[in-house]
Amino acid sequence: MSQPPQPGEPEGQAPDPGPQPGQPYPQQPYPQQPYQQQGWYGAPQQPPPSSNKTALWVGLGVLGLVVVVAVVAILGFVAPGFFLSDSKGKSAVASSSSAPASSSQETATQSPVNIPSARTELPERTTPLADPTECAYPADTSGPVPKKVNPPAAGPTPASGTAAVTVKTSAGDIGLTLDRGLAPCTVANFLSLAQQGYYDGTSCHRLGVSGLQMLQCGDPEGTGMGGPGYTIPDEIFPQLKYGRGLIAMAKTQNPDSGGSQFFMVFGEAELPPEYTVFGSISDEGLQTLDKVARGGVDDAKGPGDGTGPPRIEVKFQSIAVG
C-alpha cells in the first residue's frame, strides 16, 4: 500500500496521523467521517421564547422575502438569459463527472489550474549502483490484496539502460521511459506488473492540482490501500527531487513499503527525498495529464485534503512495453 503526494506524498497500512501538509497521501482509505471544518456544523440552536415582538419581526421578514421573490421573478421573465450562465455551469460539471467528455465538454469543465511548462530534470545518482543489483520482494500482509499477482524474480537485476512503456488510458496515451540506473528493482517490478496485466482495467484514484500536482494510480481497489501482496525496496538518495515530467512510487510512512501504486507529476511537488523516482513522462503523456488536471478534482469523493478522484476518469486499458 502506498501513498504519493500531498504538498510536500502514496501505498500500505494507513498511518495514524493521516496525511501531513506537503506529503503525498499515504496509501490508505479515505476518512470514514465526512470532512468537517471547525464551526461549520454547530449544535442545533434552541428557538427563543415566542412574543409579540418576535411575531412582528417574523411577519416583516416574510413580507421582505415575498418582495425579493417577486423582483427575481420579474427579472427572469424580462431577461430570459438571467439564469442561463449558472444552469449551464451546473450541467457541464455533472456530465464531466460521469463519463469521458467530448472536446466541448472538456472545455466547459476546465478550471484555471496553474501548471508550469518547464520540465524537471531527471535526478542523477552521484555514485552509480552495482550492475547488476540484488533485488528482493518480500510478502506484505499489512493490507488487502485485491488482485493476485506474482512478484518479480528476486536476485541480480540489471541496473543500466531504459525501458519504453506506453500506457493506454480512457483519457489518452501516456508514454513513460523507465530508468534502471535510478531504480532497477522498481523498474523490474513495474514491468512485471504491466506484463501480467495487473494495471489493466484499473482507474487512477487521486488527483492533486494545487501544491502537489500529480495523478496517483496503481491500486486495483481504488481506495489507496490496495497492493500486489508484496513490497519493493526504496531506491532513494539525497539528490532526489520531484516536478513536472517525473514518475515516482507511492508508499506509506514506513520504509520499503511500496508495491504497485505510483504517481505521475505534471507540475509542482515539494516533497522530501523519500519516494523512489524511476522514470520520466513523454510530452504526449503530459498533455494527457494536463487535460485531466484542468478537468478538476471530484472533491465530494476526496479525503478532504484538496485531492480526490479526477473528474475526467483515467482508466488503464493496456500497457505496451517496448
Side-chain angles (χ1 to χ4, degrees):
M1 328 319 181
S2 310
Q3 62 192 23
Q6 204 7 348
E9 111 207 4
E11 191 173 294
Q13 192 169 359
D16 292 338
Q20 300 299 316
Q23 291 292 326
Y25 185 60
Q27 210 158 321
Q28 65 180 40
Y30 294 151
Q32 296 300 312
Q33 297 299 320
Y35 179 63
Q36 295 189 27
Q37 187 173 356
Q38 183 69 26
W40 183 253
Y41 296 103
Q45 300 297 316
Q46 294 296 325
S50 60
S51 66
N52 291 337
K53 183 178 293 185
T54 299
L56 175 61
W57 283 110
V58 169
L60 291 174
V62 171
L63 178 60
L65 179 60
V66 170
V67 171
V68 171
V69 170
V71 170
V72 172
I74 291 171
L75 285 174
F77 178 80
V78 173
F82 187 71
F83 301 108
L84 188 58
S85 176
D86 185 56
S87 61
K88 271 189 174 180
K90 290 180 179 178
S91 63
V93 171
S95 64
S96 70
S97 64
S98 60
S102 66
S103 57
S104 61
Q105 287 175 318
E106 286 169 4
T107 300
T109 60
Q110 285 182 355
S111 56
V113 178
N114 184 18
I115 301 174
S117 58
R119 279 180 169 272
T120 298
E121 293 184 5
L122 202 64
E124 295 183 4
R125 289 182 175 274
T126 54
T127 303
L129 295 170
D131 189 8
T133 289
E134 290 290 324
C135 296
Y137 307 93
D140 177 18
T141 59
S142 65
V145 185
K147 191 173 184 179
K148 297 290 185 180
V149 69
N150 296 320
T157 303
S160 60
T162 60
V165 169
T166 301
V167 183
K168 292 191 173 295
T169 82
S170 57
D173 290 355
I174 302 174
L176 306 174
T177 300
L178 311 185
D179 191 327
R180 294 187 177 92
L182 278 178
C185 302
T186 303
V187 171
N189 176 61
F190 189 94
L191 294 175
S192 174
L193 291 172
Q195 290 165 340
Q196 293 182 69
Y198 181 84
Y199 292 123
D200 296 357
T202 65
S203 295
C204 299
H205 63 279
R206 182 173 179 238
L207 173 68
V209 297
S210 177
L212 179 63
Q213 296 181 310
M214 61 84 214
L215 181 66
Q216 184 174 343
C217 315
D219 177 11
E221 194 173 51
T223 63
M225 278 294 291
Y230 61 84
T231 60
I232 65 175
D234 292 337
E235 295 177 288
I236 57 179
F237 49 97
Q239 294 76 26
L240 277 177
K241 54 185 176 180
Y242 310 87
R244 181 171 175 81
L246 300 184
I247 179 173
M249 288 302 295
K251 61 190 289 288
T252 68
Q253 293 180 339
N254 298 321
D256 304 320
S257 57
S260 62
Q261 293 190 42
F262 60 93
F263 58 102
M264 296 177 283
V265 184
F266 55 84
E268 299 176 350
E270 293 294 330
L271 301 171
E274 298 173 359
Y275 304 92
T276 300
V277 173
F278 63 104
S280 58
I281 307 165
S282 68
D283 290 342
E284 181 185 23
L286 285 174
Q287 290 176 6
T288 297
L289 294 174
D290 291 349
K291 176 182 70 175
V292 172
R294 293 189 177 104
V297 176
D298 189 347
D299 297 312
K301 297 180 181 178
D305 63 354
T307 69
R311 289 188 180 278
I312 299 175
E313 183 182 35
V314 183
K315 188 171 186 177
F316 285 17
Q317 298 167 340
S318 64
I319 299 181
V321 178

